[in-house]
Amino acid sequence: MVQPLGIKFEESLTKKIKPPQDQLGFGVYFTDHMYIIDYAFEKGWHQPRIVPYQPIVLDPAAKIFHYGQSIFEGLKAYKTEDGRILLFRPQKNIERLNRSNDRLNIPQLDESVFFDALKQLISVDQDWIPTEPGTSLYIRPFVFATQPALGLSPSTNYQFIIIMSPVGAYYPEGVNPVKIFVEPEYVRAVIGGVGEAKTAGNYAAALKSQESAKEKGYTQVLWLDGVHRKYIEEVGSMNVFFKINGTVHTPSLNGSILDGITRNSIIQLLKHWNISIEERTISIEELYEAGKDGFLEEAFGTGTAAVISPIGELNWCDEKLVIKNGRTGELSQRLYEALSGIQKGTMPDPFGWMVEVRVK
Ligand SMILES: *Cc1c(COP(=O)(O)O)cnc(C)c1O
């Protein structure tokens, strides 16, 4: 693997006006710069550069458009009250990026290339990290196939790009439960497919179902397994947890579920607090039974964007299941506060999750 000798820097001559921190939304505004590195079969990864944020030019035959060879990651940088810049478990993102790359037959990216890119780009655009409670700088690394050829084979050329977006508080008025539609017909992934990879196509395949759930008044879709449509997998862009009779349950990583970094962290936090947590197969029938019998105490989704998203209602084949009277449960609230406190540097970090980025 070719080791880049240094990142070329082309500074943006015009600086954008930063939007007010209470109007950031999610992934709407982008910082002044972006990072790019190219891959060519004969050269490996080469020519790393930080350039002004701008459109990219691709050949219409680029393989990404036709065969969808593309993967992405998502992580956040936070600025602490004393001005330090922290990343949450970035090592996990590079490991997952390379697992996704492997599944999509995309060449591996060197860890040092990834960390160097993150560090330099954050350093250049550090003034873009918002500071208001709940805000952060969302970082979106992605890789896609650029070879202009229609023959069905893995691309010989790729680009790895990182863009960054200041994002607002997910819950400006406090943590709020969402209503979730259990998808009875379409499926997201099957074992042996690409459900474990963070690849664009998984989302493209989910949009139709998500839109029809929205029309019915539901925020997201809960996916069931692709074979029996019986076992719970995950929600939209989140993993899912249920507190049943004092124990927390989450679907095990069976090969079709995305291995969420928030999921992994929640499991560690629960163990640390001596709250029993089981990773296992959970059927939707079993969940409804527990709900009807009064044992389903809380439900929540986990992911980088929201951290914790409590679930207030499920709808499966027109049968509604209201959880915790549609309110946020104590455990969901406690987990949200603990994890977002660690991320923002206001709470101790017993696991050594936070990585400080020292900027110039
Ligand atoms: C990214 C993602 C998640 C959450 O993963 P985190 O690492 O916690 O952000 C869950 N499910 C899917 C399908 C995802 O793409």
Side-chain angles (χ1 to χ4, degrees):
M1 203 169 290
V2 178
Q3 193 63 41
L5 291 172
I7 300 173
K8 209 177 121 215
F9 177 42
E10 182 197 329
E11 192 172 359
S12 174
L13 297 176
T14 52
K15 298 284 187 286
K16 298 179 203 172
I17 294 166
K18 295 183 182 65
Q21 292 197 21
D22 59 349
Q23 287 167 34
L24 292 173
F26 183 81
V28 185
Y29 301 100
F30 296 95
T31 67
D32 286 316
H33 298 88
M34 61 200 240
Y35 169 93
I36 309 183
I37 188 169
D38 297 319
Y39 178 91
F41 181 71
E42 62 286 359
K43 282 191 190 164
W45 292 104
H46 65 283
Q47 213 183 326
R49 56 208 185 268
I50 289 172
V51 295
Y53 188 94
Q54 62 190 283
I56 49 174
V57 177
L58 289 177
D59 192 289
K63 286 194 171 176
I64 171 60
F65 298 129
H66 307 278
Y67 307 126
Q69 237 191 325
S70 168
I71 65 95
F72 66 95
E73 270 302 321
L75 70 160
K76 283 175 170 177
Y78 307 82
K79 202 173 258 175
T80 64
E81 279 159 15
D82 56 0
R84 289 177 306 134
I85 297 170
L86 302 177
L87 289 171
F88 179 65
R89 311 187 75 185
Q91 181 68 29
K92 288 268 173 202
N93 292 97
I94 177 68
E95 286 165 12
R96 187 170 64 190
L97 180 130
N98 274 331
R99 288 202 303 277
S100 299
N101 276 344
D102 181 59
R103 182 63 185 85
L104 276 283
N105 211 91
I106 296 172
Q108 298 284 293
L109 190 80
D110 201 289
E111 290 193 4
S112 66
V113 170
F114 180 80
F115 282 113
D116 228 29
L118 272 185
K119 197 177 156 223
Q120 304 285 344
L121 186 62
I122 291 169
S123 190
V124 166
D125 281 342
Q126 56 183 285
D127 292 345
W128 280 89
I129 309 175
T131 48
E132 288 296 309
T135 63
S136 59
L137 185 69
Y138 183 78
I139 304 167
R140 170 55 63 86
F142 57 109
V143 186
F144 55 95
T146 57
Q147 184 196 5
L150 298 182
L152 186 49
S153 59
S155 181
T156 52
N157 298 70
Y158 299 86
Q159 272 189 332
F160 170 65
I161 296 185
I162 306 177
I163 54 175
M164 306 198 295
S165 167
V167 298
Y170 204 86
Y171 300 107
E173 285 114 37
V175 183
N176 265 319
V178 292
K179 288 162 76 178
I180 301 281
F181 189 77
V182 184
E183 174 57 61
E185 185 188 353
Y186 297 112
V187 300
R188 175 185 170 274
V190 289
I191 292 171
V194 291
E196 267 185 326
K198 227 170 159 68
T199 182
N202 283 335
Y203 284 84
L207 293 174
K208 188 179 164 69
S209 166
Q210 188 182 304
E211 282 310 288
S212 95
K214 281 219 174 103
E215 277 165 26
K216 298 183 193 98
Y218 292 84
T219 315
Q220 283 207 36
V221 167
L222 176 69
W223 298 106
L224 301 178
D225 78 279
V227 177
H228 313 279
R229 293 181 182 70
K230 182 175 169 169
Y231 302 105
I232 294 170
E233 299 243 303
E234 59 181 308
V235 173
S237 56
M238 290 188 290
N239 296 108
V240 70
F241 290 75
F242 305 97
K243 183 166 170 252
I244 304 170
N245 210 5
T247 295
V248 180
H249 305 257
T250 191
S252 34
L253 299 175
N254 59 353
S256 57
I257 296 172
L258 195 108
D259 183 356
I261 297 163
T262 321
R263 175 189 182 278
N264 176 283
S265 311
I266 291 296
I267 292 172
Q268 286 193 50
L269 265 175
L270 290 169
K271 287 183 178 162
H272 186 67
W273 292 343
N274 287 319
I275 294 173
S276 79
I277 159 80
E278 274 183 41
E279 295 177 67
R280 63 181 182 88
T281 308
I282 307 163
S283 77
I284 185 74
E285 283 132 345
E286 177 197 337
L287 189 74
Y288 265 66
E289 288 291 309
K292 281 182 211 152
D293 296 344
F295 293 125
L296 178 56
E297 293 154 354
E298 294 186 35
F300 56 90
T302 67
T304 296
V307 184
I308 299 281
S309 187
I311 299 169
E313 182 188 315
L314 292 175
N315 182 331
W316 177 44
C317 299
D318 288 328
E319 211 182 321
K320 289 182 184 171
L321 182 61
V322 175
I323 303 161
K324 198 91 191 166
N325 285 319
R327 289 197 298 268
T328 299
E330 294 78 30
L331 183 64
S332 309
Q333 185 70 34
R334 184 179 173 203
L335 284 166
Y336 176 78
E337 281 166 16
L339 199 49
S340 50
I342 292 172
Q343 291 170 335
K344 194 72 185 159
T346 55
M347 305 250 276
D349 171 17
F351 309 96
W353 282 336
M354 304 313 293
V355 173
E356 186 175 347
V357 183
R358 290 177 198 279
V359 296
K360 283 180 273 204

